[in-house]
């Protein structure tokens, strides 16, 4: 919707000119209007050539977004299927944010609940074991195709690709057993207005809004995808976001709002669809040109007079028919007969184009800026110094961590709270006061969601830095362990205790270099005396950048 300019008032001269020469009067009126609107910001002026035709709309979030969403989703999915840069950006983001999945670590508020450390640990171990059993089973998916970690990846991928994603949280019985929580993934297209009725102030693209607060109170879900032939006629189900009596969360909505009042999300690559498409077209053209220029074919040109003298009418007809059926497609090593009088005119293709890679890199850098992905991370090509590569990864991980926190906050934690509520209500887990107080319930539900670590560029430097942070007291072993590979220090400690005890039992345990035995240590064959200077490991020189 183009912005309407408030026209300047007409005087007597304007009306006379309008009667005699309307086009001249129109230009005069627009010029006076633009002059009257000139304010303090150059970007708001209309009397400059570069800005005179720049009149974007200024609509509400629904006006600016909803109408374009079907096209944006279709073009986004097309790019994800066929454009390497778009698919690479999506895969890189999903792999670093979700990876093998965000895992649950209990962090209950024992002080608030009046539990001793041993009681809190016992409850945490039992609850984690039970939740992992549910999360690793296909029963957590209504369609029984994915476990909880696969659901995380698919839901997050769908949100980035389509703009938003919905998860229904029904309770269903399995093989005669009691009803348990099962998640149902709903693609964005299926949430739309019943029978395609127009949007209203309380119904926007399938989202039913409260007229008082503006919150989403229900969603309308089509039973079939609009792109499915079975969707003709269509049936919609109204799903309330929260239970009327219990307040139970029935629908989860994953999206990133960009404006207040926005109810539907836009695809991750929506702002850069045009440059992505143009870059893909240019890449295809350069690739085709390089392929054609690399082919070698022989063209046989026939003299018209010799053609008339050497062949009879049947032979002439066969030659003409064969030559006329050549489609023009090139093939390496092919001999092509041309018709009498035809010749091949070629131009120097200049392929491969030496300017292709620098310009391609310049456009991809701009695309990376829009996606919060440094060029090196987006292209997975690191050829600069250690410092530059590490800076690129750190910048990318800020965006990855923000998205991981969003996934944990709006998917993982709500799902866990739904699961825990069922377990407590049915007596499988004891949590006194869970349904009595919101504060107590929050204390029982507190959790840490951890994913895969960022990995290491220079492990020696990064381990040394982690040790320094722990020694200074600004970090902990558990924090460094989770940041390294997503596994808690406690899990690693338990495994290390088992390994060390087994090695001691078999008489093969040796102390780590630089450490001494303590009184009572049964590491046989080890000298408990402090190591000499010769036994100390040599300091590792800093790597060249």
């Amino acid at each position: 919707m183009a912005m309407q300019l408030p026209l300047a008032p007409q005087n007597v001269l304007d009306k006379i000119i309008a009667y005699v020469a309307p086009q001249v009067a129109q230009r005069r009126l627009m010029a006076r209007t633009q002059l009257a609107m000139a304010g303090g910001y150059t970007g708001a002026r209309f009397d400059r050539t570069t800005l005179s035709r720049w009149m974007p709309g200024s609509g509400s979030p629904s006006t600016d977004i909803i109408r374009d969403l079907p096209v944006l989703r279709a073009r986004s999915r097309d790019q994800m299927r066929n454009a390497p840069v778009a698919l690479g950006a999506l895969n890189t983001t999903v792999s670093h944010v979700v990876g093998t999945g965000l895992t649950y670590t209990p962090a209950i508020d024992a002080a608030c609940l009046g539990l001793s450390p041993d009681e809190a640990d016992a409850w945490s171990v039992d609850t984690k074991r039970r939740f992992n059993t549910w999360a690793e089973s296909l029963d957590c998916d209504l369609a029984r195709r994915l476990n909880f970690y696969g659901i995380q990846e698919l839901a997050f991928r769908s949100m980035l690709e389509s703009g938003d994603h919905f998860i229904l949280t029904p309770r269903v019985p399995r093989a005669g057993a009691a009803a348990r929580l099962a998640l149902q993934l709903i693609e964005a297209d299926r949430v739309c207005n019943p029978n395609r009725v127009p949007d209203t102030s309380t119904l926007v693209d399938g989202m039913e809004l409260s007229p008082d607060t503006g919150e989403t109170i229900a969603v309308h879900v089509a039973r079939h995808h609009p792109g499915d032939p079975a969707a003709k006629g269509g049936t919609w189900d109204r799903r309330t976001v929260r239970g009327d009596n219990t307040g139970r969360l029935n629908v989860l909505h994953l999206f990133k709002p960009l404006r207040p009042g926005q109810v539907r999300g836009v695809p991750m690559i929506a702002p850069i669809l045009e440059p992505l498409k143009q870059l893909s077209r240019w890449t295809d053209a350069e690739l085709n040109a390089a392929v054609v220029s690399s082919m070698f074919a022989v063209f046989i040109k026939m003299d018209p007079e010799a053609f008339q003298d050497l062949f009879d009418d049947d032979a002439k007809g066969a030659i003409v028919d064969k030559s006329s059926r050549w489609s023009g497609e090139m093939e390496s090593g092919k001999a092509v007969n041309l018709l009498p009088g035809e010749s091949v005119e070629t131009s120097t293709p200049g392929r491969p184009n030496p300017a292709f890679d620098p310009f391609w890199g310049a456009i991809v850098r701009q695309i990376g800026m829009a996606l919060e992905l440094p060029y090196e991370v987006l292209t997975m090509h690191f050829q600069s110094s250690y410092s530059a590569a590490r800076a690129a990864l750190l910048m990318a991980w800020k965006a990855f961590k923000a998205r991981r926190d969003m996934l944990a906050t709006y998917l993982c934690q709500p799902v866990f709270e739904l699961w825990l509520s069922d377990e407590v209500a049915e007596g499988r887990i004891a949590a006194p006061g869970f349904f009595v107080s919101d504060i107590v319930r929050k204390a029982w539900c507190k959790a840490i969601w951890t994913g895969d670590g960022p990995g290491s560029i220079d492990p020696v430097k990064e381990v040394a830095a982690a040790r320094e942070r722990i020694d200074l007291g600004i970090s902990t072993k558990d924090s460094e362990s989770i940041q390294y590979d997503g596994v808690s220090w406690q899990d690693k400690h338990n495994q290390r205790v088992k390994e060390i005890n087994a090695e001691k039992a078999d008489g093969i345990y040796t102390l780590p270099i630089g450490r001494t035995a303590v009184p009572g240590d049964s590491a046989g064959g080890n000298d408990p005396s402090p190591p000499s200077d010769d036994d100390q490991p040599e300091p590792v020189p800093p790597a060249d950048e």
Side-chain angles (χ1 to χ4, degrees):
M1 180 179 68
M3 183 173 64
Q4 300 295 326
L5 300 178
L7 299 178
Q10 287 182 302
N11 53 34
V12 177
L13 180 59
D14 291 330
K15 295 179 180 179
I16 295 174
I17 296 175
Y19 182 80
V20 178
Q23 292 182 347
V24 175
Q26 183 183 22
R27 291 195 296 268
R28 173 186 171 88
L29 186 60
M30 288 300 298
R32 290 180 57 207
T33 300
Q34 293 170 359
L35 184 62
M37 291 187 63
Y41 286 92
T42 302
R45 296 174 70 102
F46 288 90
D47 57 342
R48 298 191 175 209
T49 303
T50 55
L51 302 176
S52 60
R53 297 181 181 273
W54 187 13
M55 293 181 289
S58 181
S60 68
S62 298
T63 303
D64 289 344
I65 294 173
I66 300 301
R67 181 179 56 185
D68 296 334
L69 268 181
V71 176
L72 290 176
R73 290 187 190 127
R75 290 178 175 176
S76 171
R77 291 167 186 158
D78 177 74
Q79 287 292 289
M80 297 305 184
R81 289 191 294 262
N82 301 304
V85 175
L87 180 59
L90 178 67
N91 287 340
T92 297
T93 303
V94 173
S95 296
H96 286 80
V97 172
V98 182
T100 57
L102 306 188
T103 58
Y104 161 68
T105 300
I108 63 174
D109 190 343
C112 174
L113 299 171
L115 300 178
S116 67
D118 290 341
E119 291 173 332
D121 289 343
W123 188 93
S124 298
V125 169
D126 179 66
T127 303
K128 184 176 182 179
R129 182 184 298 113
R130 291 177 179 274
F131 180 76
N132 287 343
T133 301
W134 176 84
E136 294 170 2
S137 169
L138 297 183
D139 287 344
C140 70
D141 179 12
L142 185 66
R144 281 182 166 169
R145 295 189 180 95
L146 301 168
N147 61 17
F148 183 51
Y149 309 108
I151 288 174
Q152 293 177 26
E153 178 181 354
L154 183 56
F156 184 66
R157 178 182 292 271
S158 178
M159 184 201 76
L160 296 181
E161 189 173 301
S162 302
D164 53 7
H165 188 82
F166 297 83
I167 301 99
L168 305 184
T169 62
R171 299 178 74 249
V172 295
R174 300 286 194 186
R180 303 290 295 274
L181 174 65
L183 305 179
Q184 182 181 4
L185 303 184
I186 303 295
E187 197 167 37
D189 311 64
R190 290 181 56 190
V191 176
C192 52
N193 292 347
N195 300 312
R196 304 298 181 182
V197 298
D199 289 342
T200 66
S201 59
T202 57
L203 181 63
V204 179
D205 199 21
M207 312 289 285
E208 190 174 327
L209 309 178
S210 167
D212 299 324
T213 63
E215 69 174 314
T216 304
I217 58 177
V219 296
H220 295 266
V221 183
R223 293 189 181 179
H224 299 280
H225 193 284
D228 192 329
K232 292 183 178 179
T235 302
W236 280 259
D237 296 313
R238 182 181 182 271
R239 301 298 182 103
T240 56
V241 173
R242 291 186 176 272
D244 295 332
N245 298 323
T246 63
R248 182 184 187 273
L249 197 56
N250 299 321
V251 181
L252 305 179
H253 185 197
L254 295 182
F255 82 111
K256 182 179 181 179
L258 303 175
R259 295 174 60 182
Q262 181 179 338
V263 297
R264 299 300 301 265
V266 296
M268 177 181 69
I269 62 172
I272 54 173
L273 276 173
E274 184 177 4
L276 272 173
K277 184 61 175 177
Q278 294 290 66
L279 186 67
S280 180
R281 286 175 175 171
W282 183 46
T283 302
D284 290 341
E286 289 291 336
L287 180 60
N288 290 334
V291 170
V292 171
S293 66
S294 67
M295 289 184 176
F296 175 77
V298 176
F299 295 91
I300 302 174
K301 182 179 179 182
M302 186 175 297
D303 182 80
E305 295 181 2
F307 178 76
Q308 295 292 339
D309 296 339
L310 294 176
F311 301 101
D312 57 21
D313 291 340
D314 292 339
K316 292 176 183 178
I319 293 174
V320 170
D321 179 67
K322 182 178 179 180
S323 299
S324 61
R325 284 189 286 106
W326 178 51
S327 64
E329 182 179 357
M330 298 293 292
E331 183 177 345
S332 181
K334 183 175 183 178
V336 181
N337 288 306
L338 301 177
L339 291 173
E342 290 184 337
S343 62
V344 177
E345 301 294 336
T346 61
S347 59
T348 303
R351 296 297 188 278
N353 183 358
F356 173 78
D357 191 64
F359 185 74
W360 184 90
I363 299 300
V364 171
R365 274 191 289 272
Q366 295 184 41
I367 291 173
M369 290 167 57
L371 300 179
E372 296 183 275
L373 288 174
Y375 175 78
E376 294 87 350
V377 178
L378 178 57
T379 60
M380 299 189 216
H381 183 59
F382 296 87
Q383 59 180 2
S384 53
S385 66
Y386 166 81
S387 297
R390 180 166 175 76
L393 285 174
L394 289 175
M395 291 297 295
W397 265 96
K398 288 185 178 181
F400 296 150
K401 287 181 178 179
R403 289 186 169 121
R404 179 177 288 183
D405 181 72
M406 183 273 296
L407 186 66
T409 302
Y410 297 105
L411 174 60
C412 299
Q413 184 65 25
V415 167
F416 170 72
E417 292 182 8
L418 288 169
W419 173 87
L420 184 59
S421 297
D422 291 345
E423 296 295 298
V424 173
E426 296 174 9
R428 288 186 288 270
I429 293 179
F434 190 89
F435 296 107
V436 176
S437 168
D438 291 339
I439 297 177
V440 174
R441 181 183 304 182
K442 183 66 176 178
W444 285 115
C445 292
K446 286 189 67 176
I448 299 173
W449 295 93
T450 56
D452 300 335
S456 300
I457 297 178
D458 189 331
V460 174
K461 287 184 176 181
E462 294 176 15
V463 169
R467 183 184 298 113
E468 290 292 330
R469 287 193 291 267
I470 294 173
D471 292 343
L472 287 173
I474 60 176
S475 185
T476 64
K477 289 184 177 180
D478 192 59
S479 175
E480 296 296 336
S481 176
I482 291 173
Q483 185 178 359
Y484 174 67
D485 60 4
V487 181
S488 69
W489 173 85
Q490 186 64 50
D491 291 341
K492 295 176 183 176
H493 174 72
N494 294 339
Q495 182 61 28
R496 288 182 66 243
V497 169
K498 294 178 183 179
E499 294 174 355
I500 291 173
N501 288 337
E503 291 178 354
K504 287 181 177 181
D506 294 337
I508 62 173
Y509 175 71
T510 59
L511 286 171
I513 297 176
R515 292 187 57 186
T516 60
V518 296
D521 183 55
S522 60
N526 291 289
D527 183 4
S529 60
S532 65
D533 293 339
D534 294 337
D535 295 331
Q536 298 294 333
E538 296 184 1
V540 179
D544 293 334
E545 295 185 354

